[in-house]
Amino acid sequence: MSAKKSAQKESLLALANVESFYGPIMAIRGVSLSVPPHGMTAVLGANGAGKTTILKTISGIMEPAKGQILFQGEAIGGADPSFVARQGIAHVPEGREVFPFLSVRDNLRMGAYIRRDKEAIGGDLERVHAYFPILKRRADQPAGHLSGGEQQMLAIARGLMARPKLLLLDEPSLGLSPLLMKEIFDIIRRVNGEEGVAILLVEQNAPMALRTARYGYVLENGRIVLDDSCERLSRHADIRDFYLGGGEVGERGERRWKRRKSWG
Amino acid sequence: MTSWTDRLFAAIWRGLILFAALGVLAPFLLYATGAMDAMRLGFYIQQLVSGAAIGCVYAMVALGIVLIYKATETINFAQGDLLMVGAFLSFTTIGIFGLPYALGALLAVAAAFLFGILCERAVIRPLVGEPAFSIVMVTIGLGFFLRALVGLTPGWGTDTFTIPTPFTDHTVQLGPAIISQNHAAIILLTMALCGALYLFFAKTKIGVAMQAVSENQLAAHYMGIPVKNLFTLIWGLSAAVAGVAGLLLAPIAFVHSQMGFIVFKALPAAVLGGFASLPGAIVGGLIVGIAEALAGFYLPQGFKDVAAYALLLIVLIVKPEGIFGESGMKKV
Ligand SMILES: Nc1ncnc2c1ncn2[C@@H]1O[C@H](COP(=O)(O)OP(=O)(O)OP(=O)(O)O)[C@@H](O)[C@H]1O
Ligand SMILES: [Mg+2]
């Protein structure tokens, strides 16, 4: 217990027994997890497990009914989303959520809304253009005219424009071709490795997530049922059986957690 | 594949546009062929310009309605009463305090801006999360309240007033027509305001953020944009635009506590423009104003007052998405 407490102190983000509701429906129950500074942590789980709910609760879109959320040792549970964003948490939401009629450039500008350092913003714009050259070529087009994969790149780039300490990524692989998915995960690794941005990654694509992150939590019905280093998780018998079935890595989309099982 | 009804409506639509263009141009053609004398043409041009001027006022009220609608999905029926308050503020700074026109106008518009913020904070903000319908009802109530408030304010009351302007009683010659400077000032200032608003929305961070909030509120939250505060600012901006409209309307229509009913001309203008488009609102307002002028010129008395709704009815039947409503592109 005390070891866990100190781990919470050292972590950048720590959730303790967090519970969130949609009306009367409890979507996550007693969730505790942590992300170390500069670390990359994954949350795995099936449809409706509560992954998105965890991220929404962290970024202040939802108010936790119970539990504590600490970011850099400060309680942020139930705070206003704009306050959370200004503490250094950027949320790349599920389904991209770009501003469709704004130009790509203005979308990126809105990513940096909370910042005042104009010159550094210009530098960061070049940085995300280096990651995603297509965004530079399409700078003047409305974001709604980008393809789904390009919109995903824009969503990630927009998150980076906040220059966050922690990046929340909600299913960045959703709907991407295998090639593009590999490209995006390479960039996620670089953002984490070269720039030291801590990442909390929510994924259904377990193989990709386990290869990318260092530590993983498995979520089922709003509860964390398993957590371990990604290396050990990928050797875990149940995970191997149900999340890493041979050869199907590429064809996500159709193959979203066909089989279900309880870990006890 | 488009169905035959779509094609039929498209054809009728093109016919109507042709008919409208003919209606506007006919007197010029008649004059060119010698069938109309210069005096009659001059009268027509005056009607057209004064229609465009009143159309500019409709346009500004419609613009405020659309601004608020796009951001908060609420229809503000009190927008005309914000114009009325704006006109009384101008009357106060210029007419009562006797400040120079430009300074008084600036102060009045700034006060209208603050008044819009006050309205949002006091009346709308507490209702966030309530059904849109309730909020619309509340804006109707706000309109009643504002009319009563102005009626009870010492120095304002239920009388009619005028505001002295540097344009009043001056005219400019435009070909065979004599144009009142009041009308010219309305048109030019509306154009300037539209330019300023365009720059504001396209170039400033807060302007782009207002668009962002209108397009995807959830994503705006994720970006750390203070969404509620922007709603307040949008109300302030709408009220300021209504204030400008009130200031410009005052010299041609008197200042009185019932002048807010102009909203019933601005609403069809907003619908004509597609209701979700700022340029659409402007053009919608101009079209209503000019249609009224044409009705006044060609048709017997009385048609002028129903022109806006007759036009709206026709457009809604033939092109339900409004003149500028985009049916193709939807929000992602
Ligand atoms: N707006 C909502 N209103 C009511 N219930 C909701 C709402 N959003 C999610 N839920 C419920 O909360 C639970 C968790 O949803 P959540 O979106 O967090 O799942 P998820 O793990 O992100 O799933 P997916 O992988 O499909 O995105 C689900 O049972 C879902 O039905
Ligand atoms: Mg989800």
Side-chain angles (χ1 to χ4, degrees):
Chain A
M1 195 63 204
S2 73
K4 219 166 195 172
K5 271 257 161 66
S6 74
Q8 270 195 11
K9 273 228 175 81
E10 286 155 25
S11 53
L12 180 66
L13 174 80
L15 273 65
N17 292 312
V18 171
E19 299 192 342
S20 291
F21 290 79
Y22 291 101
I25 306 163
M26 193 194 277
I28 53 174
R29 28 191 114 206
V31 166
S32 301
L33 59 78
S34 67
V35 183
H38 314 297
M40 172 140 41
T41 300
V43 176
L44 310 175
N47 284 123
K51 307 181 294 299
T52 299
T53 307
I54 292 180
L55 296 192
K56 280 185 174 170
T57 308
I58 294 170
S59 57
I61 301 290
M62 292 178 69
E63 201 168 324
K66 237 190 187 171
Q68 202 180 30
I69 304 175
L70 290 179
F71 183 67
Q72 299 180 302
E74 197 184 334
I76 57 164
D80 204 63
S82 71
F83 175 81
V84 175
R86 274 183 275 122
Q87 304 312 300
I89 298 181
H91 188 151
V92 179
E94 183 176 20
R96 292 100 193 218
E97 304 279 356
V98 299
F99 301 112
F101 301 110
L102 291 189
S103 68
V104 168
R105 183 186 295 111
D106 281 344
N107 267 269
L108 293 174
R109 243 170 114 197
M110 287 297 103
Y113 183 86
I114 53 171
R115 296 171 60 182
R116 306 241 168 273
D117 45 345
K118 265 208 168 126
E119 270 120 69
I121 291 174
D124 284 350
L125 191 64
E126 280 173 24
R127 194 168 56 103
V128 300
H129 279 162
Y131 282 133
F132 305 107
I134 185 85
L135 298 183
K136 188 172 188 178
R137 291 199 294 277
R138 299 290 182 88
D140 292 312
Q141 282 187 17
H145 289 187
L146 298 181
S147 77
E150 289 162 354
Q151 287 187 18
Q152 184 64 65
M153 296 187 215
L154 176 59
I156 295 173
R158 189 180 61 176
L160 289 175
M161 286 302 291
R163 194 175 272 196
K165 299 188 182 86
L166 172 68
L167 191 62
L168 309 176
L169 286 174
D170 199 340
E171 304 212 37
S173 74
L174 194 66
L176 301 187
S177 73
L179 195 69
L180 189 55
M181 185 161 64
K182 189 180 166 301
E183 205 177 297
I184 284 201
F185 273 86
D186 282 344
I187 288 167
I188 292 171
R189 256 180 232 119
R190 276 172 63 196
V191 166
N192 176 248
E194 293 170 16
E195 299 179 27
V197 178
I199 291 177
L200 180 59
L201 171 70
V202 155
E203 261 301 339
Q204 295 206 36
N205 186 334
M208 210 49 167
L210 290 175
R211 252 181 287 145
T212 312
R214 238 156 288 161
Y215 200 84
Y217 295 83
V218 177
L219 193 68
E220 188 171 280
N221 288 327
R223 232 185 263 285
I224 287 174
V225 289
L226 195 64
D227 69 284
D228 211 331
S229 73
C230 285
E231 203 189 326
R232 271 200 294 272
L233 277 182
S234 43
R235 284 201 304 265
H236 196 283
D238 290 336
I239 303 266
R240 288 189 76 86
D241 283 359
F242 300 110
Y243 292 66
L244 300 177
E248 295 161 88
V249 177
E251 358 154 354
R252 291 192 68 268
E254 301 86 36
R255 208 193 116 263
R256 285 171 67 117
W257 306 110
K258 274 193 192 137
R259 298 176 61 186
R260 306 256 309 155
K261 195 201 168 208
S262 281
W263 285 274
Chain B
M1 266 306 276
T2 51
S3 70
W4 67 272
T5 48
D6 287 349
R7 285 203 300 274
L8 178 70
F9 278 168
I12 296 177
W13 182 240
R14 278 194 295 274
L16 283 173
I17 289 176
L18 203 68
F19 180 73
L22 254 175
V24 174
L25 295 177
F28 294 100
L29 301 175
L30 290 175
Y31 175 72
T33 58
M36 188 184 269
D37 60 18
M39 222 181 102
R40 184 90 178 127
L41 180 70
F43 173 71
Y44 172 70
I45 294 177
Q46 277 154 235
Q47 294 291 299
L48 211 57
V49 172
S50 87
I54 191 81
C56 283
V57 175
Y58 300 155
M60 276 185 271
V61 178
L63 189 78
I65 292 173
V66 170
L67 264 176
I68 289 177
Y69 176 74
K70 276 178 65 129
T72 64
E73 306 200 335
T74 300
I75 298 172
N76 178 23
F77 278 92
Q79 192 67 25
D81 299 296
L82 290 178
L83 172 147
M84 184 267 297
V85 170
F88 271 97
L89 289 170
S90 296
F91 167 67
T92 307
T93 56
I94 300 165
I96 299 181
F97 296 160
L99 296 175
Y101 183 77
L103 178 65
L106 220 61
L107 283 179
V109 172
F113 176 77
L114 294 178
F115 187 76
I117 285 180
L118 181 74
C119 286
E120 198 275 347
R121 279 295 164 102
V123 181
I124 306 297
R125 173 79 66 100
L127 293 173
V128 165
E130 298 291 329
F133 180 73
S134 319
I135 303 181
V136 171
M137 295 308 284
V138 166
T139 68
I140 294 175
L142 177 65
F144 275 102
F145 174 75
L146 292 181
R147 289 194 289 278
L149 186 72
V150 166
L152 293 172
T153 304
W156 290 1
T158 48
D159 296 336
T160 57
F161 304 93
T162 52
I163 300 177
T165 79
F167 321 113
T168 314
D169 299 331
H170 293 277
T171 55
V172 280
Q173 186 84 26
L174 188 75
I178 297 162
I179 307 295
S180 141
Q181 277 201 10
N182 272 328
H183 291 154
I186 292 176
I187 294 172
L188 292 178
L189 283 172
T190 303
M191 277 162 60
L193 182 70
C194 290
L197 282 175
Y198 171 78
L199 288 179
F200 172 73
F201 281 113
K203 301 291 179 208
T204 70
K205 181 171 160 182
I206 197 106
V208 176
M210 283 181 182
Q211 291 186 63
V213 169
S214 310
E215 288 181 23
N216 191 333
Q217 198 175 316
L218 183 64
H221 276 298
Y222 286 133
M223 301 300 105
I225 295 172
V227 173
K228 282 187 190 163
N229 293 347
L230 281 196
F231 285 168
T232 310
L233 274 183
I234 286 171
W235 266 78
L237 185 62
S238 287
V241 172
V244 174
L247 169 80
L248 295 179
L249 181 63
I252 60 171
F254 296 113
V255 178
H256 59 93
S257 61
Q258 306 296 313
M259 71 195 294
F261 287 110
I262 197 170
V263 76
F264 292 109
K265 297 288 177 60
L267 278 169
V271 177
L272 280 174
F275 221 93
S277 146
L278 298 181
I282 305 280
V283 179
L286 280 176
I287 289 177
V288 170
I290 289 174
E292 286 184 347
L294 292 181
F297 184 75
Y298 288 112
L299 300 174
Q301 270 226 310
F303 279 90
K304 193 173 173 172
D305 297 328
V306 297
Y309 286 92
L311 187 68
L312 182 65
L313 204 64
I314 295 172
V315 170
L316 284 186
I317 290 169
V318 181
K319 205 164 184 290
E321 67 271 23
I323 297 173
F324 292 92
E326 291 173 75
S327 47
M329 196 159 150
K330 293 253 158 65
K331 271 191 182 187
V332 286

